[in-house]
Structure formats: structure tokens, C-alpha cells
């Protein structure tokens, strides 16, 4: 049952002189720690052509309903905090302009495949744990600083950087895991985020921990569970293309690709 | 500690038609691959059961064959042909892609980001496979209903 707050929104629209347009935002509300009730609250908020979904949510929080639960931080698609389902598709609230949605009503819901903490905030422990599992760092036995040889860092050519730089852009927003249909069914699947990160370090020629990392992902609920629906790559806001990373990694595991 | 509300979408994540609209033809191909796989598995089990009647003598065998000689039987077999062709064609596409071919090359991404793995080659293969499946079904029905 949706709750509408027309009086409050009317009052707000009168205060914003420059805005001529408004949008109805439907926010999915739930608090699993209290009860299993889920409902949509509706608010009408004035917008400009540059207004993002996060701007609208913060407007709602500031003026209409302080209790809306939303996680955010940088407001510039760098921190990966504000992932949510926007009109049914996972996206970053700060990176999605209302004008791009081409709709008078915007529905926001928490991301699929994550336990809900409250309203739009989800628990990302599983993704973070899987991310840690693939050892997302350069594994070396020698020290980075070698006084004898004078080498201060692990040098690398620009050509080799190009092999993994795309996957370094991951901001751990979790949108890929939310879009993945395998994540929807398999609670032990590592997920596209972690698999893409595994490829990022395996493709890095400074790394000497390939075997350790492959041991983690080379199992039935690891890389072989991906069936290449490609949804992860379609929602990635940073151009990481996890589906490509996973297929390239599979080729590497099969001994077909370098 | 949160309850597992929304922790996994379950079958809804597979079957929700709005997902196909939002995630494109690749998601449809993925869903059809799962459904045709399950369909062919069910057909395989049924086929083993049906052909096992041969052990019960000619009369029983002929009677079991009659099941497929009806209009419904022909339509069912046409569906099996379609499932078989799609699953094979799409399976070949997936095998090639999952070896790392045709999914693009890692490079510095430029905004607006366009995933290389979701490309026209893959889309063309999916459409061609769907077309071949439809053609095979049509030919099968033309033969069976002739």
C-alpha cells in the first residue's frame, strides 16, 4: 500500500522557484529487523535537468521524510555506496539523472541478491568477503623496496597496465552481483565482482600468486558457474565489463589464452 | 544481524520478463538456454521411458509410438526440434565466448562506457540461432503435418 505525501511536496515545490518540473518517486520501504512488511512510499519532488536520483532521495530526506534509509557518500560515482534498483535496473543513484530515465515516476528499491538492512541500504558482507577471498592485491615474496638493487617499486610497462587497468576501475558498488541471474539462485557463487577482480590481478604480470588465486575460483561455484548472461557488464557504471574479465579468465584457465 | 530478506531473488531473478527488457537479448538467450536445457533433459528421460516399451513387444511399442502421431504430438516434437537447435547453436556460441574469443580485449575504458563483451557479433549469433530454431521447427512441422 503506497503512502502519498501531497501536502508536504506541494509546500516544497513552492519553495523552489527555478524548478518547473517534478517527479514522483516511489521508495520501497522495509525494515527486516522489525517486521517483514514491505511497502512503497510516494513523494513528489521538484527537479532540474541535472537532478540525480540521489538528489531526489536527499530532497525527500531533508524535507519530506527523514526516516528514509539510504547509503551514500561521494555523490560522484567514486565510492560505490549508493547502488540501488532504479526503475527495475541496478544503478548508482548519484550517477543516474532523472532526465535520463524518461519517466515521470521513478521507482527505487534495494538491490536484489543482498540482504536488506533497511529501506534502500543493503548488507554487502557477502560481496566483500568474496572480494577478499580472491586476494585482491599483488602477491610477491620479495619486498617492494630493495635497497641492494635500488629498485623502489615493481616496474611495469604501459602495455601491461592496459591488460588490467579496466578492471582496476571497480568501485565495489555491487551492481554486477545484483544483476547476475546466477547470484539470484546460487548462494555460494563467488559473483562477477570477485571474478573480475581475480582476473585483474592474474593479468598483472607483477603478481606471483596466480595459482593461489585460481585455487579459490576454479571450482563449481566459482568461475564455472557463470553462464555469460552479460547483465553484470550492462549495469557496471565504471566500464569494468566483468563478463569479459570472466571469459578471458576462463580462457586462461583452460590454457587457451595467455 | 539482518534477516535474509532479499538476499536472493530466486526463480524470480530468472523468469521475470521485465529483466529481459532491461538486460537485452543476451539475458533472453541465457534464459532460453536454461529452459531448453531443462526441457531437453525432461525429453531425454521421457524418450528413454518411451523407447523402453520395445521390450514389451510390438503391440505395446506401436501403441507408444501412436502418442506422437497426433496433432499435439507433432507440436510437441516440433518444440523439441526448436529446443534442440537453439540449445546446440547457442551452446556453440557460449563455448567460443567462454574460451575468451569474441568478447573483446581489455583496454582503458572511455566514457560513455560500452561493454565490449556485449557486442554485435554475439547479438547476431543469438538472432541467427533463434532464426535457425524457428526454421527447423517450421520444416519439422511441414514434414510431420504433410
Amino acid at each position: 500500500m503506497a503512502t502519498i505525501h501531497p501536502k508536504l511536496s506541494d509546500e516544497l515545490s513552492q519553495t523552489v522557484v527555478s524548478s518547473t518540473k517534478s517527479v514522483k518517486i516511489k521508495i520501497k520501504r522495509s525494515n527486516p529487523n522489525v517486521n517483514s512488511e514491505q511497502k512503497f512510499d510516494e513523494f513528489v519532488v521538484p527537479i532540474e535537468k541535472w537532478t540525480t536520483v540521489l538528489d531526489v532521495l536527499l530532497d525527500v530526506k531533508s524535507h519530506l521524510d527523514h526516516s528514509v534509509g539510504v547509503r551514500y557518500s561521494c555523490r560522484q560515482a567514486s565510492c560505490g555506496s549508493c547502488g540501488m534498483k532504479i526503475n527495475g535496473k541496478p544503478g548508482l543513484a548519484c550517477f543516474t539523472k532523472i532526465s535520463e530515465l524518461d519517466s515521470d515516476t521513478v521507482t527505487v528499491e534495494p538491490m536484489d541478491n543482498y540482504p536488506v538492512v533497511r529501506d534502500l541500504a543493503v548488507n554487502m558482507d557477502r560481496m566483500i568477503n568474496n572480494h577478499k577471498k580472491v586476494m585482491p592485491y599483488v602477491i610477491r615474496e620479495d619486498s617492494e623496496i630493495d635497497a641492494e638493487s635500488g629498485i623502489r617499486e615493481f616496474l611495469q610497462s604501459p602495455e601491461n597496465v592496459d591488460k588490467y587497468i579496466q578492471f582496476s576501475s571497480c568501485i565495489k558498488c555491487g551492481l554486477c552481483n545484483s544483476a547476475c541471474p546466477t547470484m539470484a539462485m546460487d548462494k555460494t557463487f563467488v559473483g562477477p565482482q570477485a571474478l573480475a577482480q581475480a582476473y585483474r590481478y592474474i593479468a598483472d604480470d607483477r603478481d606471483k600468486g596466480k595459482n593461489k588465486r585460481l585455487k579459490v575460483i576454479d571450482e563449481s561455484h566459482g568461475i564455472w558457474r557463470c553462464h555469460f548472461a552479460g547483465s553484470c557488464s550492462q549495469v557496471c557504471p565504471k566500464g569494468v565489463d566483468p563478463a569479459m574479465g570472466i571469459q578471458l579468465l576462463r580462457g586462461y584457465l583452460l590454457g587457451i589464452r595467455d | 544481524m539482518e534477516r535474509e530478506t532479499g538476499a536472493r531473488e530466486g526463480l524470480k531473478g530468472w523468469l521475470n520478463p521485465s529483466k529481459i527488457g532491461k538486460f537485452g537479448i543476451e539475458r533472453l538467450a541465457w534464459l532460453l538456454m536454461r529452459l531448453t536445457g531443462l526441457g531437453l533433459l525432461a525429453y531425454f528421460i521421457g524418450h528413454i521411458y518411451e523407447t523402453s516399451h520395445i521390450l514389451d513387444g510390438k503391440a505395446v511399442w506401436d501403441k507408444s509410438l501412436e502418442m506422437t502421431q497426433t496433432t499435439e504430438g507433432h507440436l510437441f516434437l516440433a518444440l523439441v526440434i526448436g529446443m534442440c537447435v537453439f540449445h546446440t547453436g547457442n551452446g556453440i556460441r557460449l563455448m567460443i565466448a567462454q574460451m575468451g574469443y569474441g568478447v573483446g580485449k581489455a583496454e582503458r575504458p572511455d566514457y560513455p562506457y560500452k561493454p565490449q563483451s556485449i557486442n554485435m557479433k554475439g547479438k547476431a549469433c543469438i538472432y541467427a540461432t533463434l532464426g535457425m530454431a524457428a526454421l527447423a521447427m517450421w520444416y519439422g512441422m511441414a514434414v510431420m503435418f504433410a
Side-chain angles (χ1 to χ4, degrees), chain A residues 87 89 112-116 123 162 166 179 181 184-185 227 229 231 234 237 241 244 247 250-251 256-257, chain B residues 2 5-10 14 19 22-23 26-27 30 34 97-101 103 107-108 113 116-117:
Chain A
N87 281 355
K89 194 172 178 179
D112 291 322
N113 305 329
Y114 291 93
V116 174
N123 183 336
D162 284 348
Q166 177 169 10
M185 291 293 279
H227 301 294
S231 306
Q234 296 206 4
D241 201 348
M244 174 169 71
Q247 309 327 313
R250 234 188 307 227
I256 296 166
R257 295 188 69 101
Chain B
E2 305 81 21
T5 306
R8 275 177 293 139
E9 273 191 290
W14 281 26
K19 300 263 180 192
K22 291 188 194 307
F23 294 115
E26 291 80 10
R27 185 74 172 231
W30 174 87
R34 314 297 285 174
Q98 292 182 359
M99 286 190 281
Y101 294 109
V103 291
E107 59 182 22
R108 287 171 196 268
Y113 309 119
Q116 286 190 68
S117 61

Side-chain angles (χ1 to χ4, degrees), chain B residues 93 101-104 116 118-127:
Chain B
R93 173 186 77 90
Y101 294 109
V103 291
Q116 286 190 68
I118 311 296
N119 54 42
M120 279 317 291
K121 277 183 283 183
K123 286 183 199 295
C125 286
I126 295 169
Y127 283 118

Side-chain angles (χ1 to χ4, degrees), chain A residues 74-143:
Chain A
C74 73
R75 308 189 195 195
Q76 54 178 5
S78 291
C79 71
S81 302
C82 63
M84 61 188 68
K85 228 162 64 168
I86 303 165
N87 281 355
K89 194 172 178 179
L92 289 182
C94 70
F95 202 49
T96 308
K97 281 194 280 194
I98 299 288
S99 55
E100 288 169 352
L101 294 171
D102 202 22
S103 168
D104 294 333
T105 303
V106 175
T107 306
V108 287
E109 297 165 82
M111 286 193 288
D112 291 322
N113 305 329
Y114 291 93
V116 174
V117 177
R118 186 165 66 83
D119 297 343
L120 302 171
V122 294
N123 183 336
M124 303 177 93
D125 285 354
R126 180 180 163 200
M127 186 193 75
I128 300 296
N129 288 339
N130 284 339
H131 180 65
K132 285 181 185 165
K133 238 194 263 178
V134 299
M135 293 169 270
Y137 39 83
V138 172
I139 298 172
R140 294 276 289 227
E141 280 181 12
D142 52 340
S143 166

